[in-house]
Amino acid sequence: MGRYLLTLRRFWATALASQLEYQLNLLIDLVAMAGNLAGSLFVLSLFYGPGRSLGGWSWEAALVVLGTYTVLDGVASSLLRPNLSTIVAHVQQGSLDFILLKPIDSQFWLSFRTFSPAGLPEIVTGLGLILWAAVKAGAELSPVRCLATGLMLGASLVILYSLWFGLATTSIWFVKTWNATEVLRAALTAGRYPISAYPLRLRSLLTVVLPVAFLTTVPAEAILGRASLSTGAASLLMATVCLLLCRGFWGFALRFYTSASS
Amino acid sequence: MPIVCAERLSKTYRVAQKQPGLAGTLRHFFWRRSRSVEAVRELSFSIEAGEMVGFLGANGAGKTTTLKMLSGLVHPSGGSLMVAGHVPQRRQANFLRSITLVMGQKQQLIWDLPPMDSFRVNAAVYGLDDSEAKRRINELAEMLELGEELTRPVRKLSLGERMKAELLAALLHRPSLLFLDEPTLGLDVNAQARVRAFLADYNRRYGATVLLTSHYMADITALCPRVLLIHQGALFYDGSLEALSQRLSPCRLVRLELKTPLPASALASYGAVEAIDGRDVRLLIERDQLTATVARLLGDLEVLDLEVADPPIEDLIGQLFQQGVVQ
């Protein structure tokens, strides 16, 4: 365990050092993030006139959902996208060889090799938005409720990671899977709004096929005190199953890895 | 007990077949057709610990695929394989700690940072503590004649410096088995010599086993008393380099730059004229007559420059395969 922690520290230290070589790039990332958040708030504000609600959610409650989405998007910008989008390139260029030859879990390497600070402000803003909007919506922030929300948010992250990693794994066979991960990312933007805001059929799709409902709505319901115990359990179960499946799928896919030609 | 033992090792790939042009593209899109390609066919050989073995073959002969099977990256389609007491494709931690694979065309160093940062990552991955890592880095850096280059970003290093740093990164965990795929590719003559001297030194110091592929015959002659020659995935020759060298090139290649151009007929008495391009001439001269013939050439003709070399290894291997000499 100590070896993995030290490796992670060195991974992220070198990743930060690499990015600081290009200051302007980092600045542009931060500006893009601010623009993105402002855009989301503007779109959401369009749905709310005086006395209107979205799928039975008040403006403040919907902001909690947006805050959850912002946290997930921040994690995606900081960790998921920088790491998982390189899997395709590793397969294409054959640099996956170097990773597979190291006496360390290859999924760990591919998932945590780099870290981008560009998503950090989004994570902080998202968490702030969740807390502020929850208080405004009249939620009582007891330690138990905060813990439950943290758990649900953790489950969301695991589900999102597993879906993304699973899609990236298919690059072992298809090599080009950028489009697939972009489609996933686009579908996740549906999680900006409460799941009940969508028509019934779409709601089922966003719960069962693409578990967007588990990603943003369930953690928001948890902090607002609306989540049932069974919903929470379903979310944790979903996260566990997704993680196990994606890990098994990676091991299976590696048997078909032929390594790029020299 | 051999450190590498391959028995009837085979690897078959499925390769897509596509005709050129728009029609071919459309047909390929709707009806994918593929065929099997036997990259490696029933290859059997063993290598003792501490040996330095050259792995020769034309492009596409199956050298890299074999190295990748030996290092556990590619699963064999058939046969059995034991490397350092392990089945490679299981990629157990102990096995991975005992091997390294260096590929001349690929790099593992972090492009924007000094090599030292990549070494620190590798040290953590292999569980080396800071003082041990530092000691090993200093030792290898001294052997490779690397100094301030280790604190310069990799992108600012010359190809030769980068390759030496790559070697350091690949050997930091002190592997006992080195798979080297074209480690001197693209390097100038001095850098090639430096890398060769280092590999010989590493082999002596640590008793490491080395399996090396290279298109530079000088790498093989300097390092490998034994060679494995493969053609179309099958073993063609396994034996001493001397015997192979004699068989492959009874002649040496002499490149001449003459003061004035001469016709082939005027040069035929010195050896087989391989090519004439204006004042540049390439002659093939038998080894045992080389000294006398070169003396005659210098005496008879106005020679501006003269260079003696072995014919390119790929040409020799090509000739050998055409002759169908199988041992």
Side-chain angles (χ1 to χ4, degrees):
Chain A
M1 196 64 193
R3 182 164 69 99
Y4 276 77
L5 281 177
L6 179 64
T7 304
L8 188 66
R9 224 176 68 197
R10 300 243 163 112
F11 274 174
W12 289 3
T14 51
L16 284 175
S18 291
Q19 285 164 71
L20 291 176
E21 289 276 304
Y22 305 98
Q23 298 119 320
L24 189 63
N25 203 23
L26 191 66
L27 198 67
I28 291 170
D29 278 349
L30 292 176
V31 170
M33 184 283 302
N36 203 10
L37 185 64
S40 297
L41 280 168
F42 174 70
V43 171
L44 196 63
S45 71
L46 293 179
F47 290 114
Y48 288 91
R52 285 172 65 188
S53 71
L54 188 64
W57 289 61
S58 67
W59 162 249
E60 287 81 11
L63 278 185
V64 177
V65 177
L66 182 64
T68 313
Y69 169 80
T70 308
V71 172
L72 292 187
D73 200 50
V75 175
S77 301
S78 275
L79 263 183
L80 302 183
R81 195 169 26 169
N83 284 296
L84 306 187
S85 61
T86 60
I87 294 178
V88 175
H90 281 310
V91 172
Q92 209 169 28
Q93 292 154 20
S95 46
L96 184 59
D97 293 356
F98 288 121
I99 298 166
L100 296 177
L101 288 173
K102 298 280 190 295
I104 199 162
D105 190 282
S106 56
Q107 188 170 353
F108 166 78
W109 180 299
L110 289 166
S111 306
F112 297 105
R113 174 63 189 87
T114 188
F115 175 83
S116 165
L120 281 180
E122 239 183 321
I123 296 172
V124 173
T125 312
L127 287 173
L129 192 60
I130 292 172
L131 292 173
W132 179 80
V135 171
K136 281 290 227 185
E140 189 193 319
L141 299 183
S142 66
V144 174
R145 194 178 283 185
C146 287
L147 189 72
T149 308
L151 254 177
M152 291 303 103
L153 207 50
S156 305
L157 286 170
V158 171
I159 294 170
L160 179 59
Y161 160 79
S162 306
L163 282 176
W164 204 319
F165 194 90
L167 267 178
T169 298
T170 58
S171 60
I172 297 275
W173 292 279
F174 308 121
V175 183
K176 286 186 180 178
T177 52
W178 291 288
N179 297 344
T181 46
E182 279 312 304
V183 167
L184 175 71
R185 193 123 204 253
L188 290 175
T189 56
R192 286 180 189 200
Y193 313 112
I195 197 74
S196 53
Y198 294 94
L200 195 61
R201 278 187 190 171
L202 198 57
R203 218 181 292 172
S204 323
L205 181 84
L206 293 176
T207 309
V208 182
V209 183
L210 278 170
V212 172
F214 288 109
L215 296 181
T216 54
T217 305
V218 172
E221 283 176 340
I223 200 159
L224 293 169
R226 299 178 188 177
S228 66
L229 205 59
S230 59
T231 313
S235 190
L236 288 176
L237 184 70
M238 183 79 160
T240 313
V241 169
C242 284
L243 187 63
L244 289 176
L245 280 178
C246 110
R247 199 155 168 74
F249 187 45
W250 175 245
F252 174 73
L254 281 183
R255 291 171 49 193
F256 296 87
Y257 177 60
T258 52
S259 178
S261 182
S262 57
Chain B
M1 172 100 178
I3 193 163
V4 175
C5 191
E7 285 280 340
R8 307 184 72 178
L9 189 64
S10 300
K11 179 67 193 177
T12 306
Y13 290 115
R14 296 294 298 172
V15 179
Q17 272 188 307
K18 178 187 167 301
Q19 298 297 318
L22 182 63
T25 303
L26 287 174
R27 208 173 300 129
H28 183 67
F29 186 80
F30 289 106
W31 298 282
R32 296 256 158 166
R33 283 175 58 190
S34 61
R35 66 189 171 90
S36 295
V37 172
E38 282 188 295
V40 174
R41 287 185 293 142
E42 306 213 333
L43 201 58
S44 298
F45 63 91
S46 62
I47 296 174
E48 295 296 326
E51 263 194 289
M52 290 188 95
V53 179
F55 205 28
L56 298 177
N59 286 332
K63 303 187 296 286
T64 303
T65 301
T66 307
L67 284 190
K68 285 181 177 173
M69 284 195 281
L70 294 176
S71 53
L73 287 172
V74 169
H75 286 231
S77 310
S80 68
L81 187 57
M82 285 295 277
V83 178
H86 294 86
V87 176
Q89 67 265 28
R90 288 187 193 148
R91 283 205 293 274
Q92 287 153 312
N94 279 344
F95 167 71
L96 296 175
R97 283 175 196 280
S98 66
I99 65 155
T100 199
L101 173 66
V102 175
M103 292 172 276
Q105 308 92 325
K106 293 175 191 170
Q107 65 159 52
Q108 64 166 318
L109 297 173
I110 305 165
W111 186 246
D112 290 315
L113 300 181
M116 206 53 126
D117 284 301
S118 300
F119 302 158
R120 281 169 56 78
V121 170
N122 276 9
V125 167
Y126 285 99
L128 301 177
D129 63 49
D130 283 350
S131 60
E132 178 62 15
K134 201 173 163 191
R135 205 176 60 73
R136 291 191 190 186
I137 291 170
N138 288 340
E139 190 178 323
L140 289 166
E142 196 186 314
M143 287 165 75
L144 283 158
E145 295 178 357
L146 281 168
E148 58 84 31
E149 295 89 348
L150 297 183
T151 51
R152 238 192 289 156
V154 171
R155 63 172 191 271
K156 304 270 186 199
L157 298 178
S158 71
L159 190 59
E161 291 165 343
R162 211 184 307 151
M163 192 61 227
K164 288 198 283 185
E166 282 286 340
L167 277 169
L168 203 161
L171 299 174
L172 192 58
H173 59 290
R174 203 170 285 163
S176 55
L177 187 48
L178 279 57
F179 300 118
L180 309 173
D181 193 12
E182 310 270 3
T184 55
L185 191 73
L187 303 189
D188 65 38
V189 180
N190 288 334
Q192 281 178 29
R194 192 59 248 153
V195 168
R196 281 197 288 270
F198 166 76
L199 292 173
D201 195 12
Y202 187 91
N203 166 262
R204 261 194 312 274
R205 277 195 200 199
Y206 305 114
T209 312
V210 178
L211 186 55
L212 166 82
T213 80
S214 178
H215 279 107
Y216 300 118
M217 192 60 179
D219 286 349
I220 308 291
T221 49
L223 294 172
C224 308
R226 175 185 168 199
V227 292
L228 298 171
L229 180 57
I230 62 169
H231 177 52
Q232 292 180 347
L235 189 64
F236 222 78
Y237 175 88
D238 178 357
S240 78
L241 181 63
E242 272 179 12
L244 179 69
S245 188
Q246 298 268 330
R247 169 179 286 179
L248 284 180
S249 70
C251 295
R252 299 205 77 192
L253 180 68
V254 176
R255 293 193 187 90
L256 295 169
E257 189 189 344
L258 301 173
K259 196 168 180 190
T260 49
L262 286 174
S265 55
L267 296 162
S269 63
Y270 299 101
V273 180
E274 202 193 51
I276 295 183
D277 181 13
R279 294 184 292 117
D280 295 324
V281 177
R282 284 154 58 102
L283 289 173
L284 284 171
I285 298 172
E286 294 210 5
R287 281 172 188 271
D288 53 357
Q289 291 168 23
L290 184 70
T291 320
T293 310
V294 168
R296 268 206 304 135
L297 278 167
L298 293 172
D300 298 350
L301 308 174
E302 285 191 280
V303 178
L304 297 179
D305 194 14
L306 183 143
E307 187 192 329
V308 179
D310 277 316
I313 190 157
E314 284 201 73
D315 292 359
L316 294 172
I317 291 170
Q319 281 168 20
L320 182 79
F321 294 145
Q322 275 175 5
Q323 290 160 11
V325 183
V326 185
Q327 187 175 322

